[in-house]
């Protein structure tokens, strides 16, 4: 990871029009930056807006408000030609490696597609060499080139998806739950592959997952999302050591700890109730309807996004100095 900011997201919103004057606030004002060479994790339960955030960053969706700066340029104001160039630098790999690969195309055709769209190789033989090279880079081989997606296992299909994402030599890849659909034994192989490719090519990843155990090892920093908002952002080490936001504490308490003694003594924090609707989100703090610490102020005032410690951001009234009667309480105290 370098100090160069490659991506900057400022107060980004994506609302979907639901008709009758209603809108669904899938992403409702998120801000973060990603450094070149970093793996930036985004976690949160299903429906919190992770994929929508990824798609809006990639400009597959127009933004409702806010900015996405890639190497300093706002990608939501690009001309068609500039956007085409942006897609060379920013690629995405998806959760379901089967649904994202055309079943009627051979592996060769699937990987060739981005190369053809962008007119990278004039000569057929050069293109084929590049396809073979990509297959080898992801741990497949040239014999696989003429086969169809259904002839492969889930892990191999994800490798094909990764080869396609790499075809244009991007600088940045959005990995949208790339291992969630895979067997546990295969998950580690794909993570290792992504890590090796990152090292070899200096890639930057935005890595989306719905549980913390999946992003723990791969991420340098992690943003925790809840109902279209980022509630906490910090480096993974500190996030695991001492989660600040009550939602992060609950998410983390669901991650198994390999030490059986700690595991046995540990308290689980169960988040009660359902995820509220993003069409009609709670006033004030969006997490307050399920938060074990919620007080009146949480319904009245939206918590500000603040730097609680150096490089560590949280949106929660527990850490708000101006509200003096609320003190940060941690998991131990929460047990009583
Ligand atoms: N094209 C769309 N039109 C309307 N609503 C949408 C659209 N895409 C997503 N949503 C809604 O936006 C919210 C966020 O969805 P999103 O897919 O971004 O969540 P997610 O965090 O990726 O969830 P998952 O972990 O299940 O993939 C959900 O309420 C979803 O129903
Ligand atoms: Mg998703």
């Amino acid at each position: 990871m370098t100090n160069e900011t490659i991506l900057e997201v400022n107060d980004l919103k994506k609302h979907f029009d639901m008709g009758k004057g209603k809108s669904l606030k899938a992403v409702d004002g998120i801000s973060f930056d990603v450094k070149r060479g970093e793996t930036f994790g985004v976690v949160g339960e299903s429906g919190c807006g992770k994929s929508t955030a990824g798609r809006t960053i990639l400009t597959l969706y127009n933004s409702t408000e806010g900015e996405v700066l890639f190497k300093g340029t706002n990608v939501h104001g690009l001309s068609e030609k500039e956007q085409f160039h942006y897609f060379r630098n920013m690629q995405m790999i998806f959760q379901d490696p089967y649904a994202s690969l055309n079943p009627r195309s051979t592996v060769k055709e699937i990987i060739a597609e981005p190369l053809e769209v962008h007119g990278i190789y004039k000569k057929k033989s050069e293109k084929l060499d590049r396809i073979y090279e990509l297959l080898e880079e992801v741990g497949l081989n040239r014999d696989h080139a003429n086969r169809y997606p259904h002839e492969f296992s889930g892990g191999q299909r994800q490798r094909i998806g990764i080869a396609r994402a790499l075809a244009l030599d991007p600088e940045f890849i959005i990995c949208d739950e790339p291992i969630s659909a895979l067997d546990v034994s295969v998950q580690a192989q794909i993570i290792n592959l992504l890590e090796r490719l990152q090292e070899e090519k200096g890639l930057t990843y935005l890595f989306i997952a719905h549980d913390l155990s999946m992003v723990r090892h791969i991420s340098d920093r992690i943003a925790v999302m809840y109902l279209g908002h980022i509630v906490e952002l910090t480096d993974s080490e500190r996030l695991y050591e001492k989660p600040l936001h009550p939602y992060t504490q609950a998410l983390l308490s669901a991650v198994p700890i390999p030490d059986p003694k700690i595991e046995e003594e540990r308290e689980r924090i169960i988040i009660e109730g359902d995820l509220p609707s993003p069409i009609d989100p709670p006033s004030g703090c969006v997490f307050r309807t399920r938060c074990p610490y919620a007080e009146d102020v949480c319904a009245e005032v939206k918590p500000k996004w603040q730097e609680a410690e150096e490089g560590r951001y949280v949106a929660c009234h527990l850490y708000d100095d101006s509200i003096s009667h609320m003190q940060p309480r941690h998991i131990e105290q929460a047990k009583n």
Side-chain angles (χ1 to χ4, degrees):
M1 168 168 145
T2 63
N3 239 338
E4 180 197 346
T5 298
I6 186 165
L7 181 79
E8 193 180 323
V9 174
N10 294 323
D11 206 18
L12 184 68
K13 296 186 184 179
K14 176 63 196 174
H15 296 177
F16 293 107
D17 186 2
M18 303 305 282
K20 295 185 186 151
K22 285 190 184 284
S23 70
L24 187 150
K25 301 169 184 71
V27 173
D28 205 20
I30 60 171
S31 300
F32 59 92
D33 62 348
V34 182
K35 305 290 181 204
R36 185 183 286 280
E38 177 177 29
T39 298
F40 187 90
V42 177
V43 282
E45 67 200 288
S46 185
C48 71
K50 305 179 295 295
S51 297
T52 304
R55 286 166 177 270
T56 312
I57 289 168
L58 195 57
T59 68
L60 298 179
Y61 293 145
N62 291 324
S63 64
T64 304
E65 245 181 81
E67 290 182 322
V68 177
L69 306 177
F70 184 72
K71 297 197 279 186
T73 303
N74 189 357
V75 298
H76 283 280
L78 299 179
S79 67
E80 223 168 282
K81 200 172 149 211
E82 289 166 331
Q83 192 183 40
F84 194 66
H85 187 72
Y86 179 51
F87 289 148
R88 280 191 69 166
N89 276 324
M90 171 82 78
Q91 290 283 314
M92 192 153 176
I93 49 183
F94 299 90
Q95 170 170 2
D96 184 342
Y98 198 61
S100 63
L101 304 175
N102 184 346
R104 280 181 287 277
S105 298
T106 61
V107 168
K108 190 169 73 188
E109 289 161 353
I110 289 169
I111 300 174
E113 198 203 341
L115 297 172
E116 283 160 5
V117 169
H118 286 263
I120 307 290
Y121 296 104
K122 298 282 170 281
K123 281 199 197 139
K124 234 181 167 177
S125 61
E126 281 176 4
K127 190 170 69 188
L128 202 58
D129 282 344
R130 175 68 177 145
I131 292 168
Y132 291 154
E133 182 185 54
L134 285 161
L135 285 172
E136 272 154 27
E137 275 181 352
V138 299
L140 298 170
N141 62 61
R142 55 178 68 200
D143 298 336
H144 292 124
N146 290 316
R147 299 203 206 150
Y148 291 87
H150 73 262
E151 298 175 56
F152 293 90
S153 68
Q156 286 175 317
R157 285 200 286 262
Q158 195 53 290
R159 288 174 194 269
I160 300 167
I162 294 170
R164 182 180 54 185
L166 290 174
L168 297 170
D169 227 350
E171 295 174 66
F172 198 113
I173 300 182
I174 298 179
C175 308
D176 190 357
E177 307 214 31
I179 57 169
S180 302
L182 304 176
D183 287 351
V184 176
S185 59
V186 183
Q187 288 181 344
Q189 295 170 13
I190 297 296
I191 291 290
N192 289 343
L193 171 65
L194 289 170
E195 284 187 321
R196 177 170 62 75
L197 292 168
Q198 177 169 48
E199 207 159 293
E200 286 171 10
K201 297 171 186 292
L203 290 165
T204 307
Y205 293 142
L206 184 85
F207 194 98
I208 297 172
H210 60 257
D211 84 67
L212 274 170
S213 62
M214 288 202 189
V215 284
R216 176 171 195 164
H217 297 292
I218 193 171
S219 305
D220 297 295
R221 290 184 299 152
I222 296 176
V224 180
M225 273 190 85
Y226 183 83
L227 207 66
H229 294 73
I230 296 178
V231 296
E232 179 163 2
L233 192 176
T234 188
D235 51 282
S236 3
E237 219 165 286
R238 279 189 288 174
L239 192 82
Y240 283 91
E241 257 166 38
K242 195 181 90 178
L244 294 182
H245 198 282
Y247 180 60
T248 318
Q249 293 172 4
L251 272 187
L252 200 62
S253 84
V255 174
I257 294 175
D259 184 327
K261 198 153 168 265
I262 303 177
E263 179 67 23
E264 195 181 307
E265 288 170 7
R266 188 162 78 106
E267 201 86 358
R268 292 258 185 290
I269 304 171
I270 310 290
I271 313 174
E272 287 175 6
D274 296 327
L275 188 69
S277 166
I279 298 177
D280 193 16
S283 63
C285 170
V286 282
F287 186 56
R288 63 156 172 98
T289 54
R290 299 166 82 192
C291 180
Y293 307 112
E295 295 187 12
D296 292 347
V297 64
C298 305
E300 290 153 13
V301 182
K302 188 176 166 160
K304 60 175 192 285
W305 184 232
Q306 55 180 335
E307 195 167 11
E309 289 166 21
E310 208 203 328
R312 159 154 230 197
Y313 298 83
V314 66
C316 175
H317 288 307
L318 289 174
Y319 304 94
D320 207 335
D321 292 337
S322 61
I323 299 173
S324 54
H325 66 280
M326 287 184 84
Q327 290 296 322
R329 286 160 289 189
H330 289 292
I331 297 174
E332 290 75 27
Q333 285 148 291
K335 287 179 191 167
N336 321 324

